[in-house]
């Protein structure tokens, strides 16, 4: 049972951006800090941009910056939108080869459980996660973040 | 977001067995009905056997049969035990390369959501799923199942 790497990276990139919402971070810098490939990160950031949560800036010091307030981004809704597929099992797919589809209650029970999963995550906003992560993110974030928040 | 194929197959095999709990089904027959590879099915059945839910029988008409009553098998606990990994994201793993581990609230929130997922599934037993599936399973199950339940 696992989230897609796409959402996983998207969530972590958003945490990095949300800790210092005015700061523009280059994709290369985020990729280095998160220890993920720049390509994968770029795709997740594009999705976050399409959702209106971050925006890109052009130019030599271009990159990504928060667009929506982190306190307005519910984690459950975010993950639900980022996940490339919510098909928990084969029977969720229209082209399922399983003969037990149709009125099968397994898919219904799994779907209900998935709703509980997202409802629980929706109790948290990205800001909630960042607040608790603050000290650690600042340590990783380097001088600019410390100076900004220390002032 | 997806369950492992291992659990997915295990769940479906168990549904097939539970609809007619006295009946021994050969692995080859179940693999054909579920349209999955015999190898993959065999591994999931071994796990179900290790959990004491099914047992294997030897001999020419050997195969697998229910060991525990389907009404005693909670679906959430079952999936929790079948899933090879409950690591929802990279930060769940001890060898995570993510620098945001430690006090990170993301893993905590995800873990709480995962608990909700399993709690919701625990409202169902395998029997609940089979009861609703009965008609469909019988149609797939062939004459023996129809005769048994029709008598």
């Amino acid at each position: 049972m696992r989230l897609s790497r796409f959402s996983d990276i998207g969530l972590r990139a958003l945490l990095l951006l949300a800790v210092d919402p005015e700061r523009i971070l280059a994709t290369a810098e985020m990729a280095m800090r998160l220890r993920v490939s720049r390509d994968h990160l770029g795709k997740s950031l594009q999705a976050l941009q399409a959702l209106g949560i971050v925006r890109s800036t052009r130019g030599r010091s271009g990159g990504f910056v928060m667009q929506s307030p982190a306190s307005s981004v519910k984690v459950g809704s975010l993950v639900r939108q980022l996940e490339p597929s919510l098909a928990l099992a084969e029977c969720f797919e229209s082209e399922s080869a399983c003969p037990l589809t149709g009125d099968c209650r397994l898919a219904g029970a799994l779907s209900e459980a998935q709703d509980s999963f997202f409802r629980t995550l929706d109790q948290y906003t990205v800001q909630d996660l960042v607040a608790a992560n603050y000290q650690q993110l600042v340590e990783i974030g380097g001088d600019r973040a410390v100076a900004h928040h220390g002032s």
Side-chain angles (χ1 to χ4, degrees), chain A:
Chain A
M1 184 178 183
R2 191 161 185 122
L3 295 184
S4 66
R5 188 151 172 75
F6 184 79
S7 311
D8 191 339
I9 292 175
L11 277 169
R12 289 190 275 148
L14 196 55
L15 288 176
L16 266 189
L17 289 169
V19 77
D20 193 356
E22 304 293 319
R23 188 182 188 194
I24 297 164
L25 283 176
T27 308
E29 186 183 347
M30 280 192 273
M32 192 186 66
R33 286 197 200 164
L34 295 172
R35 298 180 216 175
V36 299
S37 93
R38 198 168 153 170
D39 268 7
H40 287 149
L41 176 62
K43 285 172 187 163
S44 297
L45 283 167
Q46 274 171 18
L48 290 170
Q49 183 168 27
L51 293 170
I53 298 169
V54 306
R55 65 181 170 85
S56 65
T57 65
R58 291 168 185 273
R60 205 161 62 101
S61 58
F64 287 87
V65 66
M66 291 299 287
Q67 166 92 324
S68 305
S71 58
S72 73
V73 183
K74 289 185 176 180
V75 179
S77 307
L78 174 65
V79 175
R80 196 186 267 279
Q81 288 175 297
L82 283 180
E83 277 295 287
S85 167
L86 295 176
L88 268 175
E90 185 173 325
C91 49
F92 280 60
E93 291 165 2
S94 56
E95 296 182 2
S96 168
C98 178
L100 309 180
T101 47
D103 292 330
C104 180
R105 286 209 69 182
L106 176 59
L110 287 173
S111 188
E112 194 183 319
Q114 193 175 51
D115 286 343
S116 299
F117 179 88
F118 287 123
R119 260 200 312 278
T120 302
L121 275 188
D122 268 341
Q123 294 169 4
Y124 298 93
T125 68
V126 169
Q127 184 64 40
D128 295 329
L129 304 184
V130 165
N133 272 318
Y134 176 67
Q135 194 53 47
Q136 201 173 10
L137 283 160
V138 165
E139 284 164 16
I140 297 157
D143 296 341
R144 168 70 178 72
V146 172
H148 179 81
H149 284 279
S151 64

